[in-house]
Amino acid sequence: TRTVYSVGESFDGSDMVVTATYEDGETREVTGWTTNFSDVTSEKGVNKKVTVSYTEGDNAETATFTVDVVDPSNKTYKLY
């Protein structure tokens, strides 16, 4: 999974899988989720929290992951 983005870059979640886990233990891959990614990439920084939100009926859930956002004009990148 990609964890480094440039300031202002768009998020491509086409390869991201979001899975819901229900009270009975059933899990299911879901669609229709949203992120706050454009807010996160507005400024550079490390360990910036991206929130993924999913609503089904009256139930709304969130999960998070972190990314680093770099200035594309700065040619020094942190390698992982």
Side-chain angles (χ1 to χ4, degrees):
T1 302
R2 187 171 166 201
T3 60
V4 178
Y5 292 85
S6 295
V7 172
E9 187 173 1
S10 297
F11 177 65
D12 176 11
S14 61
D15 64 345
M16 190 164 96
V17 176
V18 176
T19 304
T21 302
Y22 298 90
E23 288 181 2
D24 65 0
E26 175 190 0
T27 60
R28 183 176 46 169
E29 191 174 312
V30 296
T31 59
W33 46 267
T34 60
T35 71
N36 66 329
F37 194 83
S38 60
D39 296 336
V40 170
T41 59
S42 63
E43 296 179 354
K44 69 180 182 176
V46 296
N47 293 323
K48 297 186 82 173
K49 189 185 325 183
V50 178
T51 301
V52 179
S53 303
Y54 174 71
T55 301
E56 185 173 314
D58 292 335
N59 297 313
E61 298 293 335
T62 61
T64 61
F65 62 95
T66 60
V67 297
D68 291 345
V69 181
V70 298
D71 182 345
S73 64
N74 181 349
K75 300 302 180 193
T76 303
Y77 294 99
K78 184 176 180 181
L79 299 177
Y80 296 91

